Amino acid sequence: MKKTPIIKPYPWYYRPLEWLLLGLSSLPLSVLYGISSGLYLLMAYVVRYRQRVVLENLRNSFPEKSDAEIAQLARQFYRHFSEVMVEILKLATMPAAELKQRVLFRNVEVMERHFAQGRTVLGLSSHAGNWEWVLTSGATWLSAHTDGVYKPLSNPFFESFLYHLRTRTGSGLIPMRDTLRDMVQRKGEVRVVSMLSDQAAGPEDRPYWTTFMNQESGFYTSAERLASRFHCPVVYVSIQRLRRGYYEIILTELYDGDAPLPAGSFPITDAFVQQLERDIRLFPADYLWTHRRWKHKRPALESKA
């Protein structure tokens, strides 16, 4: 049975902010994109939001590009990021029918055939395109229930507000720390468990190290372990922006849930990394470059092994 995360009440003085955000969300997207232009100028040229991180990530990922090309790519990213911010806010009031028109799912049969067999499917996605629209739109496209694994926020108001955005079309949320317990309790349930698998795994997470975007990168191996233990098929969720406010989700099977997974290797994670790098190189401005993806370094002992 589905267990709803406990959402703590937030102080009364957040109410004016809630009314403001809901009021903004009720505006047409065309108006919100005008606001996003102001956000773009603010982030890119005034506040210079995480500019050092953005430029460092881009230079390390694309060493073949000149400084001018990197600067142009950074501007394109800030433009896209500002538009994603207002699109996420729009989720608070956007009708499910409109969301379905704006996010087109391709190859849904990749998941549907596993649903017909009564299976849980793991969906691996990333911080590309508009990642917040994926879970919510998936609930309108797929015949099975959709759950997203997430990291709860410490601020009670923003935790409550984002919970509302992410679940208003029928999706559920699973706190990251409760993932294994949830899988055990709901074993055999027909659903999708969606995971943003490009997060930076720390040393305490026993990450799988590989080369990603020209840099040594540590990846969580939870999808590999869950797929092996519960015999879950794994699907890569590619998020591609068609144009402003419209996205295409392409589903690609990485693992069928039946073939034995060799001990000591991580073929699912390897396949995810290859697919994600391909997407980033095709649409570099659409990735979340403010994310400190490479903040952890491989331990020296592992490097020598």
Side-chain angles (χ1 to χ4, degrees):
M1 180 180 294
K2 178 185 173 183
K3 183 179 179 181
T4 303
I6 298 174
I7 304 299
K8 298 179 181 179
Y10 51 87
W12 62 268
Y13 49 77
Y14 279 107
R15 287 297 181 185
L17 177 58
E18 179 184 20
W19 297 333
L20 173 63
L21 293 177
L22 290 176
L24 290 172
S25 178
S26 66
L27 296 173
L29 262 177
S30 58
V31 176
L32 288 176
Y33 284 133
I35 295 174
S36 76
S37 297
L39 288 175
Y40 161 68
L41 295 174
L42 183 66
M43 287 191 297
Y45 297 104
V46 181
V47 178
R48 297 184 178 181
Y49 177 66
R50 292 198 172 188
Q51 187 181 76
R52 181 178 298 180
V53 174
V54 170
L55 293 176
E56 180 181 2
N57 283 343
L58 289 173
R59 290 191 186 105
N60 292 339
S61 298
F62 303 100
E64 72 282 3
K65 293 186 180 296
S66 66
D67 288 344
E69 290 173 317
I70 293 296
Q72 181 183 21
L73 189 52
R75 290 191 295 270
Q76 292 171 345
F77 159 71
Y78 278 116
R79 175 72 71 180
H80 168 67
F81 186 40
S82 67
E83 293 177 355
V84 168
M85 290 176 69
V86 299
E87 289 173 358
I88 293 173
L89 178 60
K90 186 63 182 175
L91 273 179
T93 57
M94 181 183 289
E98 181 182 350
L99 182 63
K100 187 173 183 179
Q101 290 178 345
R102 290 182 173 276
V103 184
L104 177 64
F105 270 63
R106 298 287 190 187
N107 302 340
V108 292
E109 63 275 7
V110 169
M111 287 189 176
E112 293 293 341
R113 67 170 176 262
H114 293 300
F115 298 155
Q117 298 171 359
R119 309 180 82 168
T120 295
V121 177
L122 300 181
L124 306 188
S125 58
S126 67
H127 291 87
N130 186 333
W131 58 94
E132 291 289 355
W133 278 15
V134 177
L135 180 68
T136 49
S137 60
T140 70
W141 276 95
L142 302 173
S143 64
H145 180 73
T146 58
D147 285 314
V149 176
Y150 83 115
K151 186 175 182 180
L153 300 176
S154 58
N155 183 287
F157 167 72
F158 287 106
E159 169 66 3
S160 176
F161 191 77
L162 284 175
Y163 181 87
H164 168 70
L165 299 189
R166 292 164 171 166
T167 61
R168 61 184 300 267
T169 60
S171 298
L173 292 177
I174 306 168
M176 185 183 296
R177 64 181 179 274
D178 296 337
T179 305
L180 179 58
R181 182 187 310 165
D182 182 88
M183 292 288 291
V184 171
Q185 293 175 345
R186 301 167 64 186
K187 184 178 179 180
E189 186 173 324
V190 179
R191 60 172 174 154
V192 178
V193 175
S194 177
M195 310 168 75
L196 286 171
S197 299
D198 62 330
Q199 302 275 14
E204 70 280 1
D205 302 305
R206 296 177 298 170
Y208 168 61
W209 289 93
T210 187
T211 301
F212 170 58
M213 298 303 298
N214 295 307
Q215 299 160 84
E216 284 199 332
S217 308
F219 283 85
Y220 285 102
T221 58
S222 52
E224 210 98 22
R225 296 194 301 272
L226 293 173
S228 177
R229 178 168 177 174
F230 298 99
H231 302 287
C232 295
V234 181
V235 172
Y236 174 67
V237 182
S238 175
I239 313 166
Q240 300 182 10
R241 181 164 62 97
L242 299 175
R243 60 187 187 278
R244 176 188 269 183
Y246 290 87
Y247 296 86
E248 183 177 59
I249 309 300
I250 302 174
L251 305 177
T252 304
E253 186 175 284
L254 302 182
Y255 173 61
D256 64 6
D258 295 319
L261 292 170
S265 62
F266 301 90
I268 296 174
T269 306
D270 272 330
F272 168 78
V273 171
Q274 292 173 19
Q275 295 276 359
L276 177 57
E277 179 159 334
R278 180 208 61 188
D279 283 353
I280 292 174
R281 293 193 178 281
L282 284 173
F283 310 100
D286 295 350
Y287 191 61
L288 186 61
W289 296 107
T290 55
H291 175 40
R292 295 188 62 203
R293 179 66 190 78
W294 294 277
K295 62 183 176 182
H296 301 298
K297 302 300 180 185
R298 186 198 293 251
L301 291 178
E302 291 189 27
S303 299
K304 295 177 182 179

